[in-house]
Amino acid sequence: MFEAILIAGFGGQGVLSTGQLLAYAGMVEGKHVAWIPSYGPEMRGGTANCGVTISSRPISSPVVSEPTVLIVMNRPSLEKFQNSVVKGGIIFVNSSLIDLRASRNDVRVFYVPANEMAEELGSGKVANNIILGALIELTGVVSPGAVEKSLQEVLPPHHHKTIPLNLKALETGAKLVRNGQKT
Amino acid sequence: MFEAILIAGFGGQGVLSTGQLLAYAGMVEGKHVAWIPSYGPEMRGGTANCGVTISSRPISSPVVSEPTVLIVMNRPSLEKFQNSVVKGGIIFVNSSLIDLRASRNDVRVFYVPANEMAEELGSGKVANNIILGALIELTGVVSPGAVEKSLQEVLPPHHHKTIPLNLKALETGAKLVRNGQKT
Amino acid sequence: MPRVTFREERCKGCELCKHFCPKGIIEMAGHINAMGFHPATVVDAESCTGCATCARMCPDIVIEVEKEEKKVG
Amino acid sequence: MPRVTFREERCKGCELCKHFCPKGIIEMAGHINAMGFHPATVVDAESCTGCATCARMCPDIVIEVEKEEKKVG
Amino acid sequence: MKKVFTRPKSLKDMPFHYCPGCTHGIVHRLVAEVIDEMGIFDRAIAVAPVGCSVFCYEYFDCDAYQASHGRAPAVATGIKRVLPDRVVFTYQGDGDMAAIGTGEVVHAAARGEKFTVIFINNAIYAMTGGQMAPTTLLGQVTTTTPYGRSREVNGCPVRMSEMLSVLDGSAYIARVSVHDPPNVARAKRAIRKAFEVQEAGLGFTMVEVLSSCPTNWGLSPLKALKWLEENMIPYYPLGEYKKPAEVG
Amino acid sequence: MKKVFTRPKSLKDMPFHYCPGCTHGIVHRLVAEVIDEMGIFDRAIAVAPVGCSVFCYEYFDCDAYQASHGRAPAVATGIKRVLPDRVVFTYQGDGDMAAIGTGEVVHAAARGEKFTVIFINNAIYAMTGGQMAPTTLLGQVTTTTPYGRSREVNGCPVRMSEMLSVLDGSAYIARVSVHDPPNVARAKRAIRKAFEVQEAGLGFTMVEVLSSCPTNWGLSPLKALKWLEENMIPYYPLGEYKKPAEVG
Amino acid sequence: MAKILMKGNEAIGEGAVRAGCRYFFGYPITPQSELPHYLAKRLPEVGGLYLQAESEVASINMVFGAAGAGARVMTSSSGPGISLMQEGISYLAGAELPCVIVNMIRGGPGLGNIAPAQSDYFQATRGGGHGDYRVLVLAPSSVQEIIDLMQDAFDLADKYRNPVMLAGDGVLGQMMEPVILDDEIKPPSLPEKSWAATGRMGRDRKNLINSLYIVPENCEIHNLELGRKYAAMEESEQRWEDYHTEGAEMVLVAFGTAARVCKAVVDMFREEGRPVGLLRPITLWPFPWKRVSALADSVRCFLTVEMNMGQMVEDIRLAVNGKRPVRFYGRVGGMLPVARDVYREALKILDGGAD
Amino acid sequence: MAKILMKGNEAIGEGAVRAGCRYFFGYPITPQSELPHYLAKRLPEVGGLYLQAESEVASINMVFGAAGAGARVMTSSSGPGISLMQEGISYLAGAELPCVIVNMIRGGPGLGNIAPAQSDYFQATRGGGHGDYRVLVLAPSSVQEIIDLMQDAFDLADKYRNPVMLAGDGVLGQMMEPVILDDEIKPPSLPEKSWAATGRMGRDRKNLINSLYIVPENCEIHNLELGRKYAAMEESEQRWEDYHTEGAEMVLVAFGTAARVCKAVVDMFREEGRPVGLLRPITLWPFPWKRVSALADSVRCFLTVEMNMGQMVEDIRLAVNGKRPVRFYGRVGGMLPVARDVYREALKILDGGAD
Ligand SMILES: Cc1ncc(C[n+]2csc(CCOP(=O)(O)OP(=O)(O)O)c2C)c(N)n1
Ligand SMILES: Cc1ncc(C[n+]2csc(CCOP(=O)(O)OP(=O)(O)O)c2C)c(N)n1
Ligand code: SF4
Ligand code: SF4
Ligand code: SF4
Ligand code: SF4
Ligand code: SF4
Ligand code: SF4
Ligand SMILES: [Mg+2]
Ligand SMILES: [Mg+2]
């Protein structure tokens, strides 16, 4: 198995930590994983993205230049990255913040109104995890159990009280896929 | 022809300029010449020396490590350099300031009370030129005429009035050799 | 009447203009611009004195201020 | 009587001791030492007060000064 | 209708890359306004530092140099000595000028080099991720002083305006702030004076601008300005530290 | 008979390589006497510069480092941070400390590093052949100011003691001279105070010693001292620029 | 034994702490910032000191002081900052002081950018500073290897009394990978350093940290002694990884991040049954020329893959000494080689007939 | 046409003035001091400026500013100072600014000493600074050649918009030899520098002096462009002197002062009728590998003679590419090779059977 996942959005949307959660889960399952952020003065512009590779074989370059899965949390990221996705790949679009449709038709595109759904759950902060739940359900790249275990490790202790909410968000995302929604 | 002349003494004894005069004269006669001083923090210790090479062929290293002629103006220089002189070479010892005999017996050694003789001529400053005169007479490395011409070029204009005195010193040194003195 | 114009696409939603407007007539819009910020906007243009305080505090030179020509000196 | 001793071979003939000796009893010798300098020397040892001014101004620590032991404090 | 406020001509019409509420943008505008108002655009030369403001060479539409970190004063010296009738300014952060570039700015000031330094003191290395700068306040938490800047380990913040004022070659040195409209106006006046003193050939000129870095301070733009006012100004008093008799 | 004056123990018994009448030798002796008198020889560490006094690492018989040109304060920082209970001093010339090493000494002072700088101001780069130093006086002829140091080209001499006193981390800063016996005595007292302040852990300490270079000034040793008194002292006033309340 | 996800830059810091390093002097620069951030937090926890210097020049000279005082000490920077350290590195080598210098290489020359590169290979292996000296250069290619090599770095530095450089890049510094860490950190047991200048403290002779040899004869002796030391390092410290070089027709040579990419390329070839292998130098200096030279007897050709305009390729040419063709493929300015492109290039050479 | 006796260091200064250089920024260091002394006097006479910087770091950055402003400008130093300039040199190369940098090499590493050496060969030819860049390096071996090469140095710098280094040593700097000088100095006619950032002064586009390419793709393009420029320099600017290489069995390779010694060695052999020659590289970068490579087809072996531990020998090995044995003889730490010793070494190789 091999998945190269690119997660992109504004700084502050939790893009980097979502990627780390995913990588951690991969490690928990004994897979080869690598996580890498974009770095540098672009951070000034307020965008952030990271690549997560999860594979059954050692990982060559950790830089995700041709994602098998793309998660975009804002419009500039969709515009910038959609063409890099491999044919047959997947794009998750946070349709709460992006009023644009993806232009690719050789990939699967899921529109998830993640912010609205997260607000419904009680906190906009778990928008990422809704999409992550969908991703996991769809690709099976890691198991939900591994993610649950990883949450314990990745979140600092004083945030452990948010774990149930995060799990709910992951489950909500998974359901979306199970129900075949393509908003 | 090839002469590698090392002139050594205290700083302030005019050792460097004497060497330059000699080199200039060699140049005036169309020979290959090179002059090089010792440099560096030794100058603090108050010693100075320079090497002058005059040759009918291009000069390889200008550094005089095996002089054919050595002029020593003070005792430490005699001690330091006498063993470097080539067999059959010449050492001029300024016996006014050096109360030591050279220990080499495979070279020709001339003891010249240069300071005393210079004082007699009217200025201790021309002590070097007395020895230089002797050297030229003995080796013929350059002609007296070339030295006279060079004095004009090497001395700054406001010192030109000392030229007659310098010539007298050179001639005094030459005479010493002509008279076969080995003081 | 003075006129303040915002180059909305350049606004980073920092709220400095809003804070320093002596008339308190600047608010942040509900929508976000292409850069993802809620842009500033004047909610009560009538009250604007054209003092340009907002413009002078805007780090991104989003704001332009125009005023009736007055003969000065 | 105080005693000043010069380590002649270390003297560089700078004349600072001579200049600063309040008694004016230091002179430069006529001969030169191995380094080529005329070394300083005391010409009137009797007059020396042992003040050590010479030694304190000597950059080359050529001079040592001894004095009769006096009980101090 | 007359424009009472519009973008200065000396600034190229492009967005800044700075974070929301970063006062680098305000200072850029002030410098550009002074260049416009003095009519010196054609003779102006900007020297950009390494720091968040590295791209100021793009924003100022005059000829420009991108200098190595801290060395803008040496670069400006080279330029001004070749072209003495130009108006040369450097734009430097506190990491750039008060740390790695200390030697260069001290000696440019000592020599009385006739250019102007716009010195942005935001108490942090911003571009590289919020490390302690020499100007970071005691107790301030940064990425390299996670337990707060300690006097014992890191020493006290340096006051560059005070230090450079001691040198005979400095002609005009002022510390200003841009945390509210009156101070912005004062900052502009100081920048103008510095350029004028440079034009008069009187010596080295510098305007230190207390500036905010909301991102690395971890504060909203507004709170950052308040923090600046309440914490930085007491340690870094505003005012003109040195001015030639010739200048009002 | 009691020795009222003899060679200090902390100085190895070997001749100095300095020129006749060079006051580097006097200052070496004073430092060694202070080390002897304070009984700190075993804990003393010397950091030698690049300059005429580079070989001071040989003369001081304590452990020593030869630092790269101008960086002795950084080297001393590294040593003292690892060995905080040692007495560390640098011995630096004006080229070393006031030119290439400006950044290092300013920031050692700013951080309040607890070592002592013995700063030999002889208004010249002596070792390399008498070039202008930042401390060279206006009008002074050197090998690189053959027409005399010009204010217009080279700027004014820097006064390091004054400048470093501005920094909060400096604890004791004095300027002394060694051109006559009373001043030599005062110089020694200042060096002692500096070492004491270092031992007390109060911060950065420096003693600037106005010193002569007969060779590169082209003067006899005596005339050099006179020149120092008449020309250097007026521009570089003697005195204690900074001292902690704790110290008399 | 904990397995955790760790960033390369932080792994350098943790590896250093575990190797007994207690002093860090440095100046911020991207892309190595996480290392100082980590150590600023971590060193005080173990009684160590993180001190931010005013510049890289100051940093390396603080390292000089601390190393001379006998401490395990390190600094870190990237291209421009490492360039500023060249005088100091030459002094450290000249005075034979052990220390560790990290260079997370970025795009150059000049300010360049902050993206990953390998364009400081010459500087690292040929001594960017003045004089004849060598720095031992280690090039990890994974986060785990970073941790492991940090221990070696400090040990080798002490063993040879010589600066050791860890050469990485932005990718290695920024990426997170799983690493296995011993649960307990043993307190550092440093080798005795009788040469350290710590104050005499009763010692009967004086210790001196010095690189000045004013008499040329002495300076020559010193250089010859250094030369013998470097020869011993060349003899004993060459390190590399062989990846499917067995029976290889073509051997790729690449280090660090580029080697990761090349492994994928080798896999692509081996899957097709083509005998292509990878030699990954772990020490850049001493360069593993023994291994290259041995391979030169059996392979048809070499392809060097670097993130620069062609630097290590000179060492390969020197080792191969004309026996086989040596080709070069590079990406520059912060660009990474892409496995597919390298594959294509290699194929072209193989099929075009390299020789 | 006057023939006068001149010091090498002063010849650099006079050569620079004659080549139209009017700006010197530098910091004192032995053994090049006579150059600043000379220019401090001379430049004001021709309306130029000698400015003593506070450090070598400042010097090279002042050069950056003056070069960017379109002036012919130079600086000068020796080993330690040149090391401190490495960041600045990388910036100059990155921003493509023409200038001349003099390195009168001394014994290293560290403070070393001030005696003549050639141990900065790697630093000069491989770029001691970060990133992929090259500096054109000229190595004169007589005072007359210094004068002549200074004109070339400035012309080449302008032609390629690249720093040019003059590599000498204390012997070349301190020695006096006869030189022939044109009586009149033509006022400098500089090539137009439309790229210089002089203030817009009515120009419709803005000029920028810059080495930052934040986007890796752009930085790669920039590096490839630089690479093409360096390739052009390699193609067109290799310079060397052949000294009795005709029919040579063995060729010595040496530059600068070492080459002077080797000429005497060649003479010794030729007097005995043994065909030994000397190849003297005048450009160290680009290295005259074309010539070496051609010679490798006819000679039996090479002996490189350097005042270092063996640096240029790598370039010879690269050029010879295994075709012939390449031997090395070096003196270090400020020592000069002695003709008799080199002769003996060469003889040993010749008679021992080099191959
Ligand atoms: C020689 C060198 N060292 C370090 C860096 C990394 N660096 C880039 S910007 C910067 C600090 C910037 O801080 P400051 O000057 O205060 O500017 P700010 O970003 O705060 O505006 C540093 C250390 C560099 N580019 N070059
Ligand atoms: C990096 C570097 N630059 C320059 C030099 C050359 N250098 C040696 S000593 C010296 C100046 C010494 O002057 P100062 O510090 O005033 O000491 P002094 O000789 O006057 O006592 C210089 C520039 C050097 N060794 N290293
Ligand atoms: S011009 Fe003045 S009143 Fe009008 S919006 Fe701006 S700040 Fe408010
Ligand atoms: S100050 Fe400028 S950028 Fe900030 S909110 Fe107002 S208009 Fe927008
Ligand atoms: S001790 Fe005093 S009186 Fe005696 S010689 Fe010295 S200075 Fe003169
Ligand atoms: S002060 Fe010292 S060195 Fe000078 S003359 Fe007197 S004894 Fe000699
Ligand atoms: S990091 Fe700070 S200084 Fe830099 S642009 Fe953002 S707010 Fe401004
Ligand atoms: S050159 Fe000057 S400073 Fe150096 S030893 Fe001689 S007199 Fe002293
Ligand atoms: Mg800052
Ligand atoms: Mg000095």
Side-chain angles (χ1 to χ4, degrees), chain C residues 25-42:
Chain C
I25 56 177
I26 305 185
E27 287 298 337
M28 308 318 288
H31 65 281
I32 56 170
N33 62 12
M35 290 193 293
F37 302 114
H38 294 280
T41 182
V42 165

Side-chain angles (χ1 to χ4, degrees), chain A residues 44, chain E residues 18 22 24 49-54 68-71 91-98 100 119-129 131 133-135 213 216, chain G residues 27-30 55-56 77-82 84 106 111 114, chain H residues 87 91 130:
Chain A
R44 301 283 160 283
Chain E
Y18 300 110
C22 172
H24 267 305
V50 184
C52 273
S53 54
V54 61
S68 58
H69 191 33
R71 319 306 175 185
Y91 187 105
Q92 305 178 256
D94 43 1
D96 195 79
M97 200 206 76
I100 192 170
F119 168 44
I120 304 298
N121 180 353
N122 57 10
I124 203 98
Y125 290 88
M127 185 187 224
T128 41
Q131 295 85 3
T135 46
C213 174
N216 285 298
Chain G
Y27 188 81
I29 192 166
T30 313
S55 69
E56 292 86 355
S77 189
S78 183
I82 299 286
L84 285 170
R106 50 191 255 177
L111 189 48
I114 57 179
Chain H
E87 189 205 24
Y91 268 75
H130 58 286

